[in-house]
């Protein structure tokens, strides 16, 4: 039940007008009949076809926004720069951490200009994204994880999209200078997503420093992390990093759906591009812990927290569990 109470009697109450006042008012302004949906879209398309230069008045801006809403999703295409980076990356670092290189890549590189032009000619949602091949791989002595290998054209698309959103993901993360998030810092060079290294040694050193200055430590990780990431979470993280990339974020979500044969949970395990995407979905986790005053370091999904009060760390684990639920 919802109830509304007057909480401030000092606010002047609106007086009800009498009939004389109502009769003396100016007649209401006549407003044009609202345009029906299809007629409005037709007007927008007419504006577009006539190469209208949108002005700053409300009408033209509104038409522009409506055009983006109605047709923006089919206008996003891969860029030459992102595809060339994807090729350099896949030539230098393979397409998977778990599988040998597919022979089909030789055919792709032999006809690269035509392949690149084909991938650039269509909207991302119309590209032939093929579901990933998957298989279990032993993890430790008595557990397994599911890993993936992508079709060459699918892998090129996935890698190119990751490269395109990489700068905004890095800009949205806690700055590396703060010594919090060490893994997969985006610094592309010569086909590498992370030219400055993995950051693992720095993560261990910072952990050692914090451990020497605090009495207690707590560790946490996210079970089966990559396979638990929802595609809409990827989209939301990219949009939060830069709202101007909303269309690219939608394309990314669509590509992940197709790679997963329609499933909404999981990103490919094996491609290097997934390491970058996994960082995007943990930006708000780092911010949550910092905002609540916890000293922590993170490497991918491994989180270490430090405090002189063990009950404070218990609260941190509880907070983190609720947030990730």
């Amino acid at each position: 039940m919802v109830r509304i109470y007057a909480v401030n009697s000092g606010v002047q109450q609106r007086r009800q007008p009498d009939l004389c006042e109502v009769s003396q008012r100016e007649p209401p302004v006549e407003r044009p009949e609202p345009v029906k949906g299809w007629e409005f879209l037709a007007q927008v398309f007419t504006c577009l076809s006539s190469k209208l230069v949108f002005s700053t008045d409300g009408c033209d801006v509104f038409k522009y926004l409506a055009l983006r809403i109605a047709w923006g999703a089919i206008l996003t295409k891969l860029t030459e720069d992102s595809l060339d980076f994807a090729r350099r990356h896949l030539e230098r670092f393979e397409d998977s951490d778990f599988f040998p290189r597919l022979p089909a890549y030789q055919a792709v590189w032999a006809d690269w200009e035509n392949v690149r032009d084909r991938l650039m000619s269509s909207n991302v949602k119309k590209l032939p994204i093929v579901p990933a091949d998957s298989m279990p791989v032993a993890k430790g002595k008595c557990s397994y994880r599911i890993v993936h290998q992508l079709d060459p054209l699918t892998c090129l698309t996935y890698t190119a999209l990751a490269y395109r959103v990489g700068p905004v993901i890095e800009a949205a993360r806690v700055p590396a200078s703060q010594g919090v998030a060490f893994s997969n810092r985006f610094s592309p060079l010569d086909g590498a997503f992370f030219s400055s290294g993995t950051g693992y040694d720095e993560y261990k050193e910072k952990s050692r420093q914090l451990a020497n200055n605090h009495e207690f430590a707590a560790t946490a990780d996210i079970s089966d992390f990559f396979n638990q990431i929802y595609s809409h979470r990827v989209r939301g993280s990219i949009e939060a990093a830069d709202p101007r990339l909303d269309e690219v974020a939608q394309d990314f979500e669509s590509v992940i759906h197709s790679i997963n044969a329609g499933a909404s949970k999981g990103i490919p395990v094996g491609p290097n591009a997934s390491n970058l995407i996994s960082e995007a979905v943990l930006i708000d986790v780092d911010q949550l812990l910092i905002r609540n005053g916890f000293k922590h370091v993170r490497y991918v999904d491994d989180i270490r927290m430090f405090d002189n009060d063990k009950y404070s760390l218990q609260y941190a684990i509880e907070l983190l569990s609720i947030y990730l639920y």
Side-chain angles (χ1 to χ4, degrees):
M1 178 182 297
V2 177
R3 295 179 179 175
I4 301 176
Y5 298 92
V7 295
N8 190 350
S9 58
V11 177
Q12 184 177 0
Q13 301 296 319
R14 180 179 295 176
R15 184 174 60 84
Q16 296 294 329
D18 56 35
L19 292 178
C20 293
E21 289 176 327
V22 172
S23 63
Q24 293 174 3
R25 287 177 177 173
E26 295 181 0
V29 178
E30 294 186 3
R31 299 185 181 278
E33 191 73 18
V35 181
K36 295 181 180 180
W38 288 110
E39 295 176 359
F40 175 73
L41 287 178
Q43 293 179 9
V44 174
F45 299 147
T46 301
C47 291
L48 183 65
S49 63
S50 62
K51 298 182 180 179
L52 171 68
V53 177
F54 295 110
S55 68
T56 56
D57 65 65
C59 179
D60 285 347
V61 170
F62 184 65
K63 289 177 181 179
Y64 169 70
L65 293 175
L67 182 62
R68 282 177 59 89
I69 294 172
W71 291 99
I74 66 171
L75 297 178
T76 307
K77 297 180 180 179
L78 298 175
T79 64
E80 181 175 342
D81 179 53
S82 64
L83 284 168
D84 284 340
F85 173 86
R87 176 186 177 172
R88 292 193 301 271
H89 175 77
L90 294 174
E91 284 183 318
R92 181 178 174 187
F93 297 99
E94 308 287 346
D95 63 319
S96 172
D97 293 335
F98 303 96
F99 296 90
R101 186 195 300 271
L102 291 171
Y105 278 102
Q106 295 303 316
V108 173
W109 306 148
D111 196 25
W112 173 240
E113 290 188 1
N114 287 331
V115 171
R116 184 183 58 194
D117 291 345
R118 171 68 180 87
L119 291 174
M120 292 170 54
S121 66
S122 298
N123 170 257
V124 172
K125 287 187 174 67
K126 295 184 178 181
L127 295 177
I129 305 301
V130 178
D133 292 326
S134 59
M135 66 175 292
V137 170
K139 183 180 181 181
K141 293 183 178 180
C142 55
S143 64
Y144 287 82
R145 62 178 167 184
I146 302 300
V147 300
H148 306 88
Q149 185 167 41
L150 306 184
D151 163 85
L153 297 185
T154 300
C155 197
L156 279 165
T157 301
Y158 186 65
T159 305
L161 283 173
Y163 174 77
R164 184 169 180 183
V165 301
V168 300
I169 291 175
E170 180 62 30
R173 297 179 65 183
V174 176
S177 59
Q178 293 190 20
V180 171
F182 291 89
S183 51
N184 305 317
R185 304 301 310 208
F186 182 73
S187 53
L189 179 67
D190 194 23
F193 276 110
F194 319 113
S195 63
S196 58
T198 65
Y200 188 69
D201 289 338
E202 293 84 352
Y203 165 72
K204 291 193 299 181
E205 178 58 29
K206 185 66 175 182
S207 297
R208 188 177 297 108
Q209 294 174 10
L210 290 172
N212 290 335
N213 294 320
H214 297 85
E215 190 173 353
F216 299 98
T219 63
D221 70 337
I222 304 173
S223 300
D224 200 21
F225 177 42
F226 279 26
N227 288 319
Q228 300 301 320
I229 297 174
Y230 282 92
S231 56
H232 66 264
R233 176 91 162 120
V234 174
R235 172 183 172 180
S237 299
I238 296 171
E239 291 176 345
D242 189 343
R244 294 171 297 180
L245 291 181
D246 57 340
E247 294 159 8
V248 178
Q250 291 177 37
D251 286 337
F252 225 129
E253 181 180 30
S254 175
V255 167
I256 294 173
H257 274 176
S258 298
I259 289 173
N260 292 337
S264 62
K265 187 169 72 170
I267 62 174
V269 178
N272 221 342
S274 291
N275 295 330
L276 174 63
I277 300 308
S278 71
E279 295 297 331
V281 303
L282 292 178
I283 292 173
D284 56 346
V285 173
D286 289 328
Q287 293 171 344
L288 171 75
L289 293 173
I290 292 173
R291 191 165 58 247
N292 283 274
F294 296 112
K295 293 287 186 180
H296 84 285
V297 290
R298 180 180 61 78
Y299 189 85
V300 192
D301 62 314
D302 292 320
I303 301 171
R304 296 174 180 175
M305 295 166 284
F306 303 85
D307 204 286
N308 291 321
D309 182 0
K310 67 177 181 180
Y311 297 106
S312 177
L313 291 179
Q314 288 177 353
Y315 172 67
I317 294 294
E318 178 184 1
L319 180 70
L320 193 59
S321 300
I322 293 172
Y323 191 79
L324 293 173
Y325 178 71

